[in-house]
């Protein structure tokens, strides 16, 4: 019976965390375009997205061993989050609430993305999550994300 409750509890936790704002992870459509539009033409191509994702993976891989540990993954996220919260006009209390919630989410996200549960995220595991994120943002499925188009499901 416990084995059934744990997956249900984990699913509920992931859904609750996913519903919270993900400031440093650009799942908001406008933030996605801002973060990945390398040539600042108002759209994100699959090539631009891949370039940024590849750069981000390389930057996260502090020991340059070709895989990300949880500390590397969460540490990079924490740096981006800290910068975004510093620029926010929210109250200090609200910023701290967001920081705590989003850091907890980063640890959960690592666990989900580490699909074989070996404690390391490979480039393939990282890429798979990126492909899903891009597909979600590319509402019309043309391989280009613009600020004007709606995300899938919106």
């Amino acid at each position: 019976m416990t084995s059934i409750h744990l997956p249900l509890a984990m699913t509920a936790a992931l859904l609750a965390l996913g519903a919270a704002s993900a400031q440093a992870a650009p799942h908001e459509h406008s933030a996605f375009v801002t973060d990945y539009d390398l040539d600042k033409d108002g759209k994100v191509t699959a090539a631009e997205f891949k370039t940024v994702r590849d750069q981000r993976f390389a930057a996260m891989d502090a020991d340059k061993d070709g895989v990300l540990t949880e500390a590397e993954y969460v540490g990079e996220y924490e740096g981006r989050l800290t910068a975004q919260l510093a620029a926010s006009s929210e109250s200090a209390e609200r910023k701290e609430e967001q920081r705590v919630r989003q850091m907890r989410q980063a640890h959960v996200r690592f666990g989900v993305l580490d699909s074989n549960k070996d404690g390391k995220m490979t480039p393939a595991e990282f890429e798979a999550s990126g492909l899903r994120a891009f597909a979600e943002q590319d509402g019309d499925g043309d391989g280009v994300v613009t600020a004007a188009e709606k995300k899938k499901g919106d």
Side-chain angles (χ1 to χ4, degrees):
M1 188 66 111
T2 303
S3 62
I4 292 173
H5 291 295
L6 185 57
L8 289 174
M10 184 65 134
T11 300
L14 288 172
L15 289 173
L17 288 170
S21 72
Q23 222 174 6
H27 301 295
E28 294 276 333
H29 199 67
S30 61
F32 183 91
V33 174
T34 299
D35 282 0
Y36 292 102
D37 182 12
L38 291 177
D39 61 9
K40 305 302 179 204
D41 64 353
K43 60 187 177 189
V44 178
T45 65
E48 284 176 306
F49 182 74
K50 182 177 179 351
T51 296
V52 173
R53 293 281 296 182
D54 289 349
Q55 290 170 347
R56 197 167 280 168
F57 187 93
M60 282 188 266
D61 186 12
D63 61 7
K64 305 302 178 204
D65 65 352
V67 295
L68 301 179
T69 63
E70 186 170 355
E72 288 171 324
Y73 178 81
V74 172
E76 186 276 340
Y77 179 82
E78 185 173 25
R80 285 188 291 134
L81 178 61
T82 298
Q84 288 178 350
L85 291 175
S88 171
S89 61
E90 298 279 346
S91 70
E93 182 179 331
R94 177 77 174 130
K95 288 179 186 182
E96 181 59 16
E97 289 171 1
Q98 288 181 9
R99 187 192 69 72
V100 168
R101 182 180 64 246
Q102 291 181 31
M103 290 308 299
R104 183 174 49 239
Q105 181 180 3
H107 287 280
V108 170
R109 199 167 44 247
F110 180 87
V112 170
L113 298 178
D114 176 19
S115 60
N116 65 358
K117 308 303 178 217
D118 65 353
K120 298 175 229 160
M121 189 184 312
T122 65
E125 289 169 321
F126 187 73
E127 183 177 359
S129 73
L131 292 173
R132 286 189 303 270
F134 188 86
E136 178 183 300
Q137 297 292 330
D138 186 14
D140 60 12
D142 68 351
V144 177
V145 176
T146 66
E149 79 183 275
K150 293 185 178 191
K151 284 173 55 172
K152 285 190 178 160
D154 282 354

